[in-house]
């Protein structure tokens, strides 16, 4: 994986130069449970994910250096006086993490070798041992958005709206979605204990982890309307969406719903290629740094659904690549947006391999919709706001989807 550098957007780009793969995820406000099944997170890890680059491929390298004498002084005095054994690798890893955290950018992160592998697994849907629940931030607290049908979480009685207070007796107050998910995950067949707050009461529940498989694309036809649900943008997502579009046309559908709810993002190129199913040789997104346009990314020239009436479903868990697709389709007049305001992740990251096996995820630019809007912390507002309440979920109702289908009748 690290040895390949596909041309950005492949057929979806009109540029011939090669560039590193970029990613747009958050996994974010809704990291489809990483322990669970991602949606990667809050930045999926969330999601603008993975630009595998390095010096051999022409990546920019700074010639600046830091004076680390104070760090060495701290280490030597710590080593001389500390009553216990020091783990040198742990000290180095945490020093790296601390330096990167000091950028004060939530999407610029340092991943250890094992964390980087987990990030790639998240994006590909290889979640491993989890409980099958979607976790997101609600009122600044990690909350169960929904347990998946027939999942261990559902069978154990977890419900939408449950606030995760502790995992295996470790408090989750102030934790990110990623941190909660990482604590919930574990080996298949092992048990995890959750303390959740529901209606003012704290309940404890033990759940046996199972293998959780998260499909990136699911489709169905409802009457004369085709529904495509995209849970993340990985390398094969666009191919599956295009195949679904071709199948819809063979079935003579008269409208399409693109459901991006809870989709925290993924590969930027995948988002551009998905948009190309609707857009014909049009700007999907532009990348800017300091107000200067670095690049304009265009769709391919085979928009099989270019004239198809389309509704895109969104919510607070729709982030990054999801927002890029929704913004492009909306700005070009190819889709109506229904649901709730999106997360608001308007930056692009690259993941840079380091010699130690660790990886550095760095914010390199801001992205803008075709009409020049950056949605950082603002999100994309739907044309028609339709809320999905806790009561709706518990009653197995989906007024957002119902409204989308109604608009296409």
């Amino acid at each position: 994986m690290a040895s390949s550098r596909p041309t950005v957007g492949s057929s979806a780009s009109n540029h011939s130069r090669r560039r590193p793969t970029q990613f747009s995820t958050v996994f974010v406000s809704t990291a489809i449970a990483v322990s669970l099944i991602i949606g990667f997170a809050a930045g999926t890890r969330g999601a603008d994910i993975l630009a595998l680059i390095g010096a051999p491929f022409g990546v920019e390298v700074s010639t600046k250096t830091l004076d680390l004498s104070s760090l060495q002084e701290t280490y030597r005095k710590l080593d001389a006086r500390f009553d216990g054994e020091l783990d040198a690798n742990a000290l180095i890893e945490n020093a790296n993490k601390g330096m990167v955290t000091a950028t004060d950018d939530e999407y610029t992160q340092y991943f250890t070798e094992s964390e980087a592998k987990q990030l790639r697994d998240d994006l590909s849907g290889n979640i491993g041992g989890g409980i099958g629940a979607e976790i997101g931030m609600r009122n600044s607290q990690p909350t169960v958005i929904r347990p998946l049908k027939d999942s261990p979480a559902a069978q154990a009685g977890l419900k939408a709206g449950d606030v995760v207070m502790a995992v295996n007796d470790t408090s989750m107050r102030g934790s990110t979605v990623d941190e909660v998910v990482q604590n919930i995950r574990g080996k298949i067949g092992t048990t995890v204990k959750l303390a959740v707050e529901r209606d003012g009461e704290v309940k404890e529940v033990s759940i046996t982890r199972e293998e959780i498989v998260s499909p990136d694309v699911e489709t169905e036809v409802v009457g004369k309307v085709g529904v495509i649900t995209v849970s993340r943008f990985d390398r094969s997502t666009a191919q599956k969406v295009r195949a679904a579009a071709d199948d819809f046309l063979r079935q003579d559908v008269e409208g399409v719903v693109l459901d991006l709810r809870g989709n925290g993002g993924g590969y930027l190129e995948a988002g551009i290629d998905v948009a190309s199913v609707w857009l014909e040789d049009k700007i999907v997104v532009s990348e800017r740094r300091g107000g200067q346009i670095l690049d304009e990314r265009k769709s391919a020239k085979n928009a099989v659904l270019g004239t198809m009436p389309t509704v895109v479903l969104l919510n607070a868990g729709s982030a990054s690549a999801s927002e890029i697709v929704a913004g492009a389709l909306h700005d070009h007049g190819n889709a109506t947006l229904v649901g709730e305001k999106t997360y608001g992740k308007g930056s692009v990251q690259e993941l840079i391999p380091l010699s130690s096996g660790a990886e550095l995820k760095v914010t390199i630019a801001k992205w803008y919709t075709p009409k020049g809007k950056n949605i950082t912390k603002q999100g994309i507002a739907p044309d028609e706001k339709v809320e999905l309440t806790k009561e709706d979920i518990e009653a197995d109702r989906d007024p957002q989807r119902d409204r989308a289908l109604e608009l296409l009748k």
Side-chain angles (χ1 to χ4, degrees):
M1 187 172 176
S3 63
S4 63
R5 290 184 69 247
T7 302
V8 171
S10 275
S11 60
S13 175
N14 66 335
H15 297 285
S16 60
R17 70 182 178 88
R18 294 167 68 84
R19 56 170 75 89
T21 309
Q22 294 174 342
F23 80 94
S24 68
T25 157
V26 195
F27 284 135
V28 193
S29 201
T30 327
I32 281 192
V34 161
S35 57
L36 322 282
I37 90 182
I38 217 172
F40 218 115
T44 102
R45 287 193 163 17
D48 300 332
I49 295 185
L50 296 192
L52 299 177
I53 64 178
F57 303 123
V59 65
E60 297 178 8
V61 178
S62 172
T63 59
K64 295 180 180 179
T65 59
L66 287 177
D67 181 356
L68 299 179
S69 58
S70 63
L71 182 64
Q72 290 287 7
E73 180 186 11
T74 299
Y75 168 67
R76 288 167 181 154
K77 291 185 176 180
L78 177 66
D79 184 53
R81 303 291 294 171
F82 181 66
D83 181 17
E85 293 294 326
L86 294 176
D87 184 331
N89 287 331
L91 293 175
I92 292 170
E93 295 285 14
N94 280 280
N96 279 308
K97 283 182 178 289
M99 179 174 64
V100 174
T101 299
T103 63
D104 199 27
D105 173 47
E106 61 181 312
Y107 302 118
T108 294
Q109 296 173 277
Y110 175 90
F111 294 98
T112 65
E113 185 174 6
S114 61
E115 290 169 343
K117 179 182 182 301
Q118 187 64 68
L119 176 61
R120 289 190 292 271
D121 286 345
D122 286 349
L123 191 59
S124 66
N126 298 324
I127 305 306
I131 64 173
E134 182 180 333
I135 302 292
M137 279 294 178
R138 291 292 184 270
N139 299 319
S140 300
Q141 299 183 94
T143 304
V144 176
I145 304 303
R146 66 183 176 100
L148 304 182
K149 185 177 180 181
D150 298 325
S151 66
Q155 294 169 2
L158 283 190
K159 295 184 178 181
D162 286 349
V163 178
V164 181
M165 306 298 293
V167 178
N168 288 333
D169 297 322
T170 299
S171 174
M172 292 293 107
R173 289 186 181 277
S175 298
T176 65
V177 169
D178 261 355
E179 290 166 342
V180 173
V181 160
Q182 293 303 322
N183 277 276
I184 292 175
R185 275 185 171 176
K187 292 183 178 180
I188 296 171
T190 59
T191 299
V192 60
K193 183 174 71 174
L194 271 64
V196 299
E197 182 179 350
R198 181 188 305 163
D199 299 326
E201 294 185 23
V202 176
K203 301 177 180 292
E204 289 192 349
V205 57
S206 292
I207 306 174
T208 300
R209 300 178 176 102
E210 294 182 7
E211 181 177 9
I212 303 297
V213 179
S214 171
D216 57 327
V217 178
E218 298 176 277
T219 66
E220 65 175 311
V221 175
V222 182
K224 282 290 186 178
V225 178
V227 180
I228 305 175
T229 301
V230 181
S231 63
R232 66 182 180 278
F233 291 89
D234 69 21
R235 294 189 182 280
S236 63
T237 299
Q239 180 181 355
K240 294 174 185 176
V241 171
R242 188 169 289 276
D246 289 336
D247 187 52
F248 287 165
L249 293 178
R250 285 191 291 270
Q251 297 186 59
D252 297 320
V253 303
E254 298 174 358
V256 170
V257 174
L258 176 60
D259 190 345
L260 299 178
R261 292 175 297 177
N263 184 326
Y267 292 101
L268 176 61
E269 287 78 5
I272 294 170
D273 288 346
V274 167
S276 297
V277 175
W278 282 266
L279 302 179
E280 187 86 16
D281 193 27
K282 294 181 179 178
I283 293 175
V284 175
V285 62
S286 64
E287 297 175 19
R288 307 182 190 185
R289 184 187 302 162
Q292 178 184 0
I293 296 178
L294 302 178
D295 200 2
E296 289 185 332
R297 313 292 289 278
K298 299 185 76 172
S299 60
K301 299 181 180 180
N302 185 21
V304 294
L305 297 182
T307 60
M308 181 68 66
T310 299
V311 174
V312 178
L313 287 176
L314 302 168
N315 65 8
S318 305
S320 203
S322 291
E323 294 171 298
I324 287 173
V325 173
L329 266 57
H330 187 261
D331 278 9
H332 289 297
N334 287 72
T336 299
L337 309 183
V338 171
E340 301 166 85
K341 183 182 291 187
T342 62
Y343 180 78
K345 182 177 184 294
S347 59
V348 180
Q349 283 73 39
E350 289 181 354
L351 191 62
I352 306 170
L354 301 175
S355 59
S356 64
E359 291 177 341
L360 184 64
K361 181 158 72 75
V362 182
T363 296
I364 61 166
K366 291 183 172 62
W367 65 260
Y368 290 74
T369 69
K371 289 188 175 180
K373 180 180 180 182
N374 178 264
I375 51 80
T376 297
K377 296 184 179 180
Q378 299 180 35
I380 296 175
D383 296 304
E384 188 164 334
K385 182 178 180 180
V386 180
E387 294 184 345
L388 182 66
T389 66
K390 171 183 174 182
E391 290 71 28
D392 288 327
I393 296 173
E394 291 179 347
D396 199 24
R397 296 190 299 261
D398 192 342
Q400 296 172 334
R401 176 178 151 126
D402 291 345
R403 181 55 180 156
L405 294 172
E406 182 181 350
L407 288 172
L408 292 169
K409 286 182 180 179

